[in-house]
Amino acid sequence: MKLYTGPVSMFGAKVLIAAAEKGIRLDVEMVPYQPRTFTYVGHPEVDRINPKRQVPVLIDQGLEIFDSTVICEYFEDLFPEPPLWPAEPRSRAAARLAELRADEIWFPKLRQLGQFVRDPTSTEAVEARALAMDAYREMDAALGDRTWMAGVFSYADIAAYTAFLTAAFFGLRPEGLPRLSAWRDRMEARPSARAARDGILSYLAEQNIRLPEPA
Ligand SMILES: N[C@@H](CCC(=O)N[C@@H](CS)C(=O)NCC(=O)O)C(=O)O
């Protein structure tokens, strides 16, 4: 299977973590990025396959699919073990909703921090920080006292972790949120999540891009 993703793509990181958890070997091609602005430059295969011109894109023996969630569902159908959704329908629905929340509610709030990192004292930076802290608090509340977002380890954790990383890379710490901090530590005890995080950090180091220490 061939995966097109970007060196700092959080949605690509979801797919990389899921593949690692399931032991799926991927031939990964990093599409060009404008390193300083983290802007996707374009790739003929990605632009042909995905009308949204976004990574990740997966090709498996002529099957061409895009969107991290659709790709993860394909993994789940092809390789049901280990399962990355809860088995029981209501828990599974809750897990799918948590994954959607991570992608579409938390991630947009967390990613804004990156735009203002070069001037952390600006009004916009302060506002972005407050918004991102709100997202951390929402994540902490969603987690509650559970070990994992949906009870068992699932795509909801994978999506929430990559969303979390977006702000962590820009120095936001889950201060005063011990449940979220402990969950982050549990995630980072998994080689799959560590590899995705370290891949992004290595790229930033190679490009000589200095970000605040990750939380
Ligand atoms: N819902 C999509 C979102 C994909 C997405 O936003 N990809 C970003 C990289 S993380 C991208 O390619 N952005 C380039 C652009 O929009 O020009 C998914 O889950 O795959």
Side-chain angles (χ1 to χ4, degrees):
M1 288 190 209
K2 171 136 196 168
L3 179 75
Y4 292 97
T5 183
V8 293
S9 167
M10 296 300 159
F11 292 100
K14 273 175 68 186
V15 172
L16 293 174
I17 295 173
E21 289 286 338
K22 285 188 174 282
I24 302 171
R25 289 194 22 212
L26 297 171
D27 167 16
V28 178
E29 181 169 336
M30 290 293 172
V31 302
Y33 255 61
Q34 196 69 259
R36 299 272 148 199
T37 54
F38 308 118
T39 313
Y40 168 66
V41 171
H43 185 287
E45 280 297 85
V46 172
D47 295 351
R48 180 182 65 76
I49 293 167
N50 185 352
K52 294 178 87 173
R53 302 183 71 242
Q54 292 178 332
V55 286
V57 162
L58 184 88
I59 305 182
D60 184 26
Q61 298 174 58
L63 173 72
E64 299 173 335
I65 53 178
F66 59 88
D67 193 281
S68 59
T69 302
V70 175
I71 295 170
C72 288
E73 292 291 9
Y74 180 59
F75 287 171
E76 198 61 24
D77 291 341
L78 265 189
F79 303 101
E81 294 297 327
L84 291 178
W85 288 124
E88 192 272 317
R90 294 173 69 89
S91 308
R92 187 178 279 232
R96 287 192 200 280
L97 198 60
E99 195 234 12
L100 178 91
R101 213 182 286 283
D103 284 4
E104 297 191 15
I105 310 292
W106 296 332
F107 176 73
K109 289 185 182 176
L110 293 163
R111 71 181 299 197
Q112 290 192 29
L113 211 54
Q115 295 174 47
F116 308 111
V117 75
R118 277 173 198 86
D119 183 7
T121 56
S122 67
T123 313
E124 291 89 344
V126 171
E127 283 170 9
R129 226 179 158 73
L131 193 65
M133 254 339 266
D134 278 351
Y136 272 3
R137 275 190 284 272
E138 286 168 27
M139 291 171 80
D140 182 79
L143 181 66
D145 291 320
R146 287 189 295 277
T147 304
W148 302 112
M149 287 282 169
V152 296
F153 177 74
S154 77
Y155 292 107
D157 297 288
I158 297 174
Y161 177 68
T162 55
F164 176 92
L165 268 189
T166 309
F169 282 147
F170 295 109
L172 191 71
R173 293 164 196 279
E175 267 160 23
L177 300 171
R179 297 179 302 191
L180 190 65
S181 306
W183 167 85
R184 181 266 325 270
D185 294 345
R186 283 193 289 279
M187 278 305 297
E188 294 184 350
R190 304 183 85 94
S192 60
R194 266 205 316 277
R197 180 201 62 187
D198 293 348
I200 295 170
L201 288 174
S202 307
Y203 170 80
L204 296 172
E206 275 160 29
Q207 298 293 327
N208 233 350
I209 299 172
R210 292 173 63 86
L211 297 178
E213 284 296 300

